[in-house]
Structure formats: C-alpha cells, structure tokens
Amino acid sequence: MTDVGGGPDRGPLVVKFGGSAFADLGGYTRVARYTARRIAEEQRPVVVVVSAMSGTTGRLQQTLDVVADTPPPQVCAMLLTSGETVSVALLTAALDAAGVPALPLSAAGTGLLGEGPADRARLIRADPEVPLSALADHPVVVVPGGQAVDADGGTVMLGRNSSDLSAAAMAAALGAGTCVLFSDVPGVCTADPYLVPAARTLPEISYEGVRRMSRHGAKVVHESAVDWAERGDVRLHCRPFPWTASDGAGTVVGQGTEAAAVVAHKSSDVWRFRSGRERRAAARGLLAEGLRGTEFDSASGTYLVVPGAVRGAAHHLLAARRHDDLCLITSLRADGRAEHVLVSRADADAEARRCHALLYPDPVTVAGPAAPARAKRRSPHSDVLSGPPPVPVPGDGAR
C-alpha cells in the first residue's frame, strides 16, 4: 500500500486512524503492524493520531446526559476525551508487542494549544518543539486526537470528530508534506456511501472544495483541519483502513478542483424561526461558540439546521421550534451553488439518492469507482468506559 507521490516528504510521517479502525480490539494490532511496516520502509519517525473506539464518545455523551443536563464544559472535556486516551494506551501496548518502542503522549505532549469552551475549544497554535523532543528518542509517538491544552495547562476538546484537526495541525507544524487520514470510507466521496451506494470516490479535490463540503455538513474532513493543512502546504491523503485493492487509491486533498456532492443532514436538528432576523441572530450566537449552522428559506418558513444535541448553546434557539420529523438534503454544485430541500426523515435516504443521480446521471463518466455500500460498525468494546446503555434514574418524590 503506497501513499501519495509527488516527491519526497519532509519531516515525520503523520497518520490518523479514525474510530472505525478500532471497531474490534484486533484493530490495534493491525494498526501497529502497519506502523511497523511504514517505519521500515521510510526510515523516518511516525506520529500516529488515534480516535476513540467507534461508538465510545457517543456512549459517554449518553451517560453524561443521564447524570446532568448542563455539566460544566471542563467536566464534558474530561469525560469525552477519555476515549482517545484509552486508544493511545491500547495502541502503544500493541506497538510494544510488535517490537516497536512507542511513546504515548497526553494532550500536553502534542504541542497543541486551544482556547474557548473546554468542550469545543478552538485550536490556535501548534508548537513543533514538544512532539519533536519526544520523537528524538522514539521512532513512534501515539497522540490522542481532538485534544489540546489551554493557557492554564488543562485538557480541552477540539470538538467532535476533530482527530483530523490534530493530525493536520501537527503535520503542518512538523513540516510534513503529507498527512494520511484513515477512515471507514474509500476517500472523499460525492455523498455518504452508507446512504448512497452510487457515491463516487474523488481521486483529488481542492482545499476549498472539501472545505465547502465540510462547511455544508458533509462528514469528510474537519473544516479547520483543511485550513491548517492549506496554510502548512500539507496534502491530505484520505483513504480507508484496512485497505483492499477494490478501495482504490483514495483522495488527495490539495490543488485539485471542486466537485458536486450531496449532503444528508441526518444527525442535525431542523429549527424553524419566525423571522430571518431571529434566525440570523441565532446563527451568529452559535458560530461564536464554535457551532456552524446552515441557514435557508423555503416556502414553509425560515430555517436553521445545526448539529444535533447542541450542548450549552440551546439558549440561542429559544425563539425557534425544532422539527424532529424533517431532514435537510443539500446539493452542492461544482460552480459553488448550494440547493436545499426539506424532506421527512423517512424519505431522506431516497431523496439523497435522487439528488445524487441528478448530479451524476452517467455512472461511466464521473471520476472514480462507485463506493461500496457498507454497514457502520460500533465497537463491541465501546462500553469499556460507559458500561451498558444508561437508564434514567427515576425521581424519589418531592423534597
């Protein structure tokens, strides 16, 4: 398995493994063996950024929701970052068993500095000296994804699904030419392949192209990760793990073109406002707290679609009504236009496939092979921290 070409890379190799790589405990052994091969092939140090086992952070969030409605951001960060810490320990153990001396790092060892709410901090600095000092004595360092420290040295969370951000920022700081992002899909696709089996894997796409997809809700590459990569002249190579020949070469994010795509906002909430003024005020308030929404109008009203289960920012939505029965489908055209349509949640998958067929009517002429339809997997070990599904505790009467 080779990665993107284009001349020798600079600095350490930076690779990130999403939670799907650890859908079973054998995943840690597979990642350790892959890392050992890369060290032997390239003769340079490796920074491995890891996510929590698939499903862990969601289960931890569910458990926290049962215990408290509005816990302090520092408490949220402490709990929700523990899944990545477990992955760091398990992968380091697997590397040691494979004969590779690796150093596990905490958030303080990443050199990443964040500011803002502890459970969704903004990354403001990546100091190369901290991880470089670790790499001087170890061929591999294992890094918890999505974590940084604040000015006081406390651990902060860079938001959900932010392991990409950790990897891209560290690659930029360390002078790496390429950062490899492993996930459970073949690369950057023209739609979620779990929903749209005819989705295409793009061989390449520009920074702006993938940033626009992320900004409109596609779960491709974290938007801030793209920003850090572009500033540091880092190519992002998105590919699946484990890899098979049928998966193709993945997607290189860099100097390519933009592409048409379909986004189904199935994990977001639809809020209807009485006026555009109220909606704009809510959108500005959410953005100030690190939460980006999608604003749009339709014949039925004025809407804002935001990430589901917004924590600590619900006061911005007091003037709106949530529509749990609706789902937004966004068609992004290569010329920059975005077209939105609201459908019932029951019809969302079919509508996403219909919109994709309109963008790519000829399956022969579009770029890349069709992405295989796969079933998402949650690790059976994701309960290691949170236990069985939490059950709300009944009240014991008035006091």
Side-chain angles (χ1 to χ4, degrees):
M1 180 166 69
T2 59
D3 290 321
V4 61
D9 266 333
R10 314 176 304 274
L13 173 66
V14 180
V15 295
K16 166 254 168 179
F17 292 90
S20 60
F22 312 119
D24 57 71
L25 292 181
Y28 293 98
T29 299
R30 289 189 289 272
V31 170
R33 290 172 178 168
Y34 168 84
T35 303
R37 289 198 303 271
R38 294 307 302 269
I39 293 172
E41 293 168 358
E42 304 205 17
Q43 298 296 306
R44 57 174 170 151
V46 179
V47 176
V48 184
V49 180
V50 295
S51 299
M53 285 183 283
S54 180
T56 300
T57 306
R59 291 295 298 275
L60 290 169
Q61 182 71 73
Q62 292 174 8
T63 303
L64 185 60
D65 289 341
V66 171
V67 174
D69 291 332
T70 55
Q74 294 84 353
V75 172
C76 296
M78 177 181 289
L79 180 67
L80 299 181
T81 58
S82 59
E84 285 77 18
T85 302
V86 167
S87 279
V88 167
L90 292 176
L91 180 57
T92 303
L95 285 163
D96 182 75
V100 178
L103 180 67
L105 298 183
S106 64
T110 64
L112 301 179
L113 179 66
E115 68 174 11
D119 57 345
R120 50 179 181 274
R122 182 173 63 92
L123 182 62
I124 60 173
R125 184 184 175 195
D127 182 359
E129 297 305 320
V130 178
L132 280 175
S133 64
L135 288 168
D137 299 318
H138 298 82
V140 181
V141 295
V142 185
V143 175
Q147 298 184 25
V149 294
D150 59 18
D152 297 323
T155 299
V156 297
M157 184 178 181
L158 300 173
R160 294 289 296 270
N161 305 311
S162 54
S163 293
D164 290 348
L165 173 55
S166 296
M170 294 190 73
L174 295 170
T178 299
C179 175
V180 186
L181 305 177
F182 288 110
S183 70
D184 57 347
V185 293
V188 177
C189 300
T190 55
D192 183 346
Y194 291 109
L195 304 180
V196 183
R200 305 291 147 170
T201 304
L202 301 167
E204 63 178 18
I205 188 171
S206 66
Y207 292 117
E208 179 55 31
V210 76
R211 182 163 40 228
R212 187 168 68 100
M213 292 171 66
S214 178
R215 190 179 300 132
H216 280 279
K219 294 182 178 179
V220 281
V221 180
H222 193 286
E223 182 180 350
S224 294
V226 182
D227 295 337
W228 280 84
E230 185 172 23
R231 288 197 300 266
D233 194 24
V234 176
R235 296 163 297 180
L236 299 174
H237 195 185
C238 306
R239 42 187 331 174
F241 187 88
W243 178 86
T244 63
S246 63
D247 289 318
T251 303
V252 177
V253 179
Q255 301 303 319
T257 60
E258 296 196 29
V262 171
V263 181
H265 303 251
K266 296 192 67 174
S267 60
S268 296
D269 293 331
V270 177
W271 295 85
R272 182 181 178 182
F273 288 80
R274 291 172 296 188
S275 69
R277 180 182 58 80
E278 289 182 344
R279 182 192 64 192
R280 289 189 294 272
R284 287 194 299 269
L286 290 170
L287 187 59
E289 300 197 37
L291 296 165
R292 183 185 294 277
T294 299
E295 300 181 64
F296 70 99
D297 296 314
S298 75
S300 59
T302 298
Y303 295 91
L304 177 65
V305 175
V306 299
V310 173
R311 175 176 290 279
H315 58 282
H316 295 295
L317 302 168
L318 293 177
R321 176 189 174 191
R322 190 175 70 189
H323 290 265
D324 293 333
D325 59 327
L326 297 179
C327 180
L328 178 66
I329 307 295
T330 300
S331 295
L332 300 174
R333 298 191 176 272
D335 61 8
R337 288 180 295 153
E339 301 168 352
H340 306 292
V341 58
L342 272 179
V343 297
S344 70
R345 285 198 173 269
D347 296 332
D349 292 7
E351 180 64 17
R353 297 183 187 113
R354 187 190 72 83
C355 290
H356 189 271
L358 292 175
L359 292 178
Y360 292 104
D362 184 352
V364 177
T365 59
V366 296
R374 308 180 184 193
K376 282 184 178 289
R377 294 180 60 198
R378 182 176 71 83
S379 170
H381 306 283
S382 65
D383 300 341
V384 66
L385 297 177
S386 56
V391 178
V393 179
D396 56 359
R399 295 174 182 268

